[in-house]
Amino acid sequence: MNFLTLSDIDKDSLWEILRRAKSLKELRTQGISRLDVLSGKIIALIFEKPSTRTRLSFETAILELNGNSIFMGPGEVGLGKREAICDVARTVSRYVHGVVVRTFAHKNLVEFADNATVPVINALTDEFHPCQALADVFTIWERFESLDRVRVCFIGDGNNVLNSLLLASSIFGFKLDVVTPKTQRPAREVLDKASDLSLRYNGRVVFEVLDNFDSLGTYDVVYTDVWVSMGQEAQAELKLKDFKGYQLNSSMLERLGNPVVMHCLPAHRGQEITDEVIDGPRSVVFDQAENRMHVQKALLEYIWRR
Ligand code: CP
Ligand code: NVA
């Protein structure tokens, strides 16, 4: 099985992964981190963009599950450039037992997965970041001990991280109010997919996308992400103009009722978030980063147990 977006795994199984991640986190604090889940398995990491958290959390998770990983970084594989995506996927499937891929267009990841004969996990595309969102859901659950009563506000860019949070909100039922500039709203297809999931799992649409701050209320959580994502450096000047007024600073935090602060990291301090807020008492950004590892361990176990 593949994990390309959150909806590749049904809600009950996602909950099973979250509960297992909780146990794995507890076991690790008791010094039990080695588990015989991936013995004899080799997982390749093919990353076409830089990474700190995703690479390290996956490599640590794989090692602690007694598997081995092989990392191939930006400039090495050249998906669709050095070689056709289908040829890479078929070749890699002859060597390893699974592949974790970080790339640009999500359709390239889908093409890779369609041609691979081993499980493929999305480690971030331009459109989705499901491992991040699943760890974020875990962090919210850990903090509030429930999900369906939690109110989350996302202020920022309508791409990969927000798209996956929209699917997470729709599956798990937490309220998500989103404010983006009109030019940076999530794509129609993503909103349609999230609406379908939300109706299926909650009987109503639990998220709302706004283009101004007027209708915002108070929240349990506020989440933001960079304004210029990896690969968008050429658009930086234009995007920075669009995001004027969207900074998560102390006065914005107060206006939102002093919620818990989340950020997937890396952060561009002084742009989308101030030092005061990211380093402040409401910030859980390093819990989020840590939880990537626990949740991915549970995800790897779920995939390879089947
Ligand atoms: N949050 C996240 O995916 O971080 P990296 O880009 O460092 O992997
Ligand atoms: N939106 C960011 C997320 C990084 C984890 C990016 O794509 O660069």
Side-chain angles (χ1 to χ4, degrees):
M1 70 162 299
N2 298 320
F3 187 56
L4 308 188
T5 72
L6 272 185
S7 57
D8 285 347
I9 299 182
D10 64 63
K11 181 176 178 173
D12 288 346
S13 304
L14 288 174
W15 264 116
E16 190 188 316
I17 292 169
L18 294 181
R19 282 192 290 268
R20 179 63 179 152
K22 186 169 189 271
S23 308
L24 290 169
K25 185 169 182 177
E26 280 160 12
L27 281 174
R28 201 173 193 264
T29 57
Q30 293 159 22
I32 305 163
S33 57
R34 285 276 174 176
L35 294 170
D36 228 2
V37 171
L38 293 177
S39 296
K41 301 276 191 296
I42 301 171
I43 315 282
L45 277 68
I46 298 179
F47 277 39
E48 300 216 293
K49 296 176 180 177
S51 171
T52 301
R53 280 145 292 271
T54 308
R55 177 183 178 178
L56 263 180
S57 57
F58 263 110
E59 294 216 36
T60 308
I62 292 165
L63 277 176
E64 290 195 351
L65 297 177
N66 276 351
N68 285 286
S69 63
I70 299 172
F71 180 78
M72 301 187 81
E76 286 192 75
V77 178
L79 284 176
K81 295 193 185 80
R82 178 171 183 264
E83 196 173 354
I85 292 170
C86 58
D87 291 343
V88 180
R90 288 176 191 145
T91 304
V92 169
S93 300
R94 301 281 183 113
Y95 301 137
V96 297
H97 303 91
V99 198
V100 179
V101 181
R102 170 168 283 201
T103 189
F104 293 87
H106 189 75
K107 68 176 175 42
N108 291 349
L109 177 71
V110 173
E111 185 182 344
F112 189 101
D114 285 347
N115 286 280
T117 53
V118 296
V120 177
I121 298 175
N122 181 357
L124 178 140
T125 61
D126 291 343
E127 285 84 8
F128 293 105
H129 199 1
C131 295
Q132 179 70 52
L134 196 55
D136 295 338
V137 170
F138 181 89
T139 305
I140 295 171
W141 177 51
E142 182 177 54
R143 179 90 192 189
F144 295 96
E145 293 174 357
S146 88
L147 287 177
D148 46 7
R149 288 185 303 280
V150 176
R151 300 160 303 159
V152 181
C153 171
F154 182 98
I155 299 177
D157 199 5
N159 69 349
N160 44 24
V161 168
L162 172 59
N163 290 344
S164 289
L165 287 172
L166 282 163
L167 300 193
S169 146
S170 300
I171 294 170
F172 290 99
F174 59 85
K175 179 180 166 62
L176 177 61
D177 284 352
V178 171
V179 197
T180 65
K182 283 198 182 77
T183 49
Q184 313 295 341
R185 284 167 73 93
R188 188 74 257 163
E189 310 82 72
V190 175
L191 295 175
D192 289 346
K193 183 174 174 155
S195 297
D196 288 348
L197 282 169
S198 189
L199 288 171
R200 181 162 120 213
Y201 286 122
N202 310 287
R204 65 193 171 89
V205 177
V206 294
F207 64 86
E208 203 171 344
V209 182
L210 314 159
D211 43 36
N212 64 66
F213 292 88
D214 297 342
S215 32
L216 287 180
T218 57
Y219 297 90
D220 303 300
V221 175
V222 62
Y223 198 123
T224 190
D225 181 16
V226 291
W227 294 337
V228 182
S229 284
M230 292 179 277
Q232 296 185 329
E233 291 75 13
Q235 306 160 42
E237 207 177 318
L238 274 176
K239 290 199 79 179
L240 292 183
K241 274 197 196 125
D242 281 350
F243 282 106
K244 205 164 178 294
Y246 280 74
Q247 187 182 66
L248 184 53
N249 51 32
S250 296
S251 63
M252 181 75 83
L253 198 65
E254 199 172 321
R255 175 184 175 164
L256 299 172
N258 281 315
V260 162
V261 173
M262 296 180 71
H263 192 307
C264 53
L265 303 177
H268 294 162
R269 286 167 177 258
Q271 285 188 10
E272 77 277 2
I273 194 163
T274 57
D275 288 336
E276 208 176 14
V277 170
I278 198 169
D279 296 329
R282 304 301 286 156
S283 171
V284 295
V285 301
F286 299 107
D287 292 337
Q288 283 178 264
E290 176 187 334
N291 288 337
R292 293 288 307 274
M293 177 181 62
H294 305 300
V295 174
Q296 284 157 204
K297 265 184 167 174
L299 173 71
L300 291 164
E301 192 181 77
Y302 175 81
I303 291 174
W304 269 277
R305 206 191 52 201
R306 293 159 75 83

